[in-house]
Amino acid sequence: MSAKKRIRIAFGLAAVGALTIGLAACSTGDADAGGSDEITTVGFVAVGPEGAWREANEQNIQDTFTEEAGYDLKYAPATNLDQKSQIDAFTSFVDEGVDVILLSATEASGWEDSLKRAQEAEIPVILLDRGIEPDDDSLYVTRIAPDNVEVAKEVGAWAAATFPDGGNYVVLEGPAGVGVVNERNTGFDEGLGDSSLNKVDAQTANWSAEEGKSVFETMLKASNNDIQLVFAQNDEMGLGAAQAAEEAGLVVGEDVKIATIDGTKNAMQALADGQLSYVHEYNPLFGETALEVVEKALAGEDVDSYIVVPSEAFDSAEAAQAVLADRKY
Ligand code: AHR
């Protein structure tokens, strides 16, 4: 990710909500607001079914860009996570002349031609969650996401502090080619600093609990159970690793610790129950921020090239327990 200036969302959700409602009222058909009756068409090139985080994120976008808010959101999930189906949907949206395109890319590379076509058609593109490689921010308005490098850096710092005398660790990665995987590896390594923790293996488990379990089972057998830490790049893979640890007769929190990223309900419950050791949120609920950015982009206002969505870390059962009841995803 380029070291582009980032802005943190300076106001709380309530303020964003108020600002967004104000903006939306101006742009909906709400006669009281005196706004135009025009509907804004949004092409959402989405990932589709991929796990709890993705479901929460894409539902939040669809719940935000509603007809009542003045939008016609055209949801186009990938077919089996296939980038070609996303590029085809993207091209259709450009040809159709939608007002704005939201893109959550299944693959980081291979988007230059599509983005240039949208630019020639003067259709603004906003990246949601996933970045592109190479990161040419002249081809899109902004990227809205939690900061993967910073999130993973906090996980690495927790790991270094938790294992002052070192130990063996493994990484369960998302699929090769997905931008956030590289960002999370970079951040985790930065967070480790000069820790004597030793990486004994890193493999993809494709964001899946089933694969997380089978991959970690193999890793445990190959190391004769001599692994003290798992960095799972998402919750599902970490939950799968917890199952594998249990079946190998290991106690999570004592024999092995498992750290994950996302903060979905199942992971927070597992943290509360001691089946995970650390969960860093990667907040998926940024629909209101995306709507505000669409309004600004269509009004020709400047938008920074990266808008960071704040996300919290949870390092104990008590911390998880405290938020479980009100968890929105
Ligand atoms: O890009 C975000 C990642 O994609 C999430 O961490 C993971 O759960 C999702 O599938």
Side-chain angles (χ1 to χ4, degrees):
M1 175 187 357
S2 66
K4 296 295 294 176
K5 177 173 173 290
R6 302 185 183 104
I7 62 169
R8 285 199 176 281
I9 300 163
F11 24 84
L13 205 56
V16 169
L19 175 60
T20 299
I21 288 165
L23 286 168
C26 293
S27 63
T28 62
D30 176 354
D32 297 343
S36 74
D37 286 338
E38 264 182 57
I39 286 281
T40 302
T41 57
V42 179
F44 182 15
V45 180
V47 170
E50 191 186 48
W53 187 93
R54 186 64 55 194
E55 183 182 346
N57 176 256
E58 296 192 353
Q59 192 55 57
N60 182 244
I61 295 295
Q62 295 172 79
D63 292 347
T64 303
F65 287 86
T66 59
E67 197 175 331
E68 294 72 29
Y71 291 90
D72 172 15
L73 182 84
K74 301 169 185 292
Y75 175 61
T79 307
N80 300 321
L81 304 176
D82 170 54
Q83 181 183 34
K84 184 183 180 308
S85 65
Q86 286 200 312
I87 291 174
D88 291 347
F90 191 104
T91 303
S92 300
F93 286 143
V94 172
D95 293 345
E96 187 183 327
V98 297
D99 295 312
V100 63
I101 292 175
L102 306 178
L103 170 63
S104 293
T106 55
E107 302 276 345
S109 57
W111 286 100
E112 294 88 337
D113 292 347
S114 302
L115 293 170
K116 283 176 183 158
R117 278 200 61 185
Q119 201 166 53
E120 285 155 14
E122 297 182 343
I123 299 174
V125 176
I126 293 164
L127 304 182
L128 302 184
D129 167 29
R130 301 278 177 78
I132 57 170
E133 290 166 6
D135 181 19
D136 177 355
D137 62 20
S138 69
L139 294 176
Y140 58 87
V141 171
T142 188
R143 175 184 178 190
I144 305 173
D147 185 330
N148 284 281
V149 173
E150 287 305 317
V151 164
K153 195 171 174 179
E154 289 179 29
V155 183
W158 168 84
T162 303
F163 293 94
D165 302 323
N168 293 330
Y169 78 92
V170 296
V171 184
L172 296 176
E173 297 179 340
V178 172
V180 302
V181 172
N182 304 332
E183 292 168 344
R184 291 177 185 180
N185 279 327
T186 300
F188 185 76
D189 292 346
E190 284 178 11
L192 280 182
D194 59 2
S195 162
S196 52
L197 275 163
N198 170 44
K199 179 161 45 174
V200 294
D201 203 350
Q203 288 185 45
T204 184
N206 292 306
W207 303 132
S208 140
E210 189 180 344
E211 285 196 46
K213 179 178 182 229
S214 61
V215 168
F216 190 48
E217 270 168 1
T218 305
M219 289 171 163
L220 284 170
K221 285 181 182 136
S223 67
N224 195 23
N225 286 358
D226 186 18
I227 295 171
Q228 286 73 49
L229 170 66
V230 177
F231 168 36
Q233 291 191 345
N234 88 326
D235 290 344
E236 278 88 350
M237 296 188 292
L239 292 168
Q243 286 178 335
E246 190 181 333
E247 289 181 13
L250 301 177
V251 177
V252 174
E254 292 174 25
D255 305 313
V256 62
K257 292 190 190 303
I258 302 173
T260 76
I261 292 176
D262 277 346
T264 54
K265 265 198 189 101
N266 289 345
M268 299 301 277
Q269 186 62 62
L271 179 60
D273 297 343
Q275 289 157 353
L276 291 178
S277 313
Y278 178 95
V279 176
H280 202 301
E281 192 177 62
Y282 182 75
N283 187 351
L285 306 181
F286 48 77
E288 290 188 349
T289 304
L291 188 145
E292 184 210 343
V293 167
V294 163
E295 294 287 336
K296 291 176 80 169
L298 293 179
E301 294 177 30
D302 283 344
V303 178
D304 275 292
S305 61
Y306 194 93
I307 296 177
V308 176
V309 180
S311 295
E312 286 185 70
F314 298 89
D315 61 2
S316 70
E318 294 72 25
Q321 204 61 267
V323 301
L324 258 175
D326 302 332
R327 200 96 193 119
K328 292 187 177 65
Y329 74 98

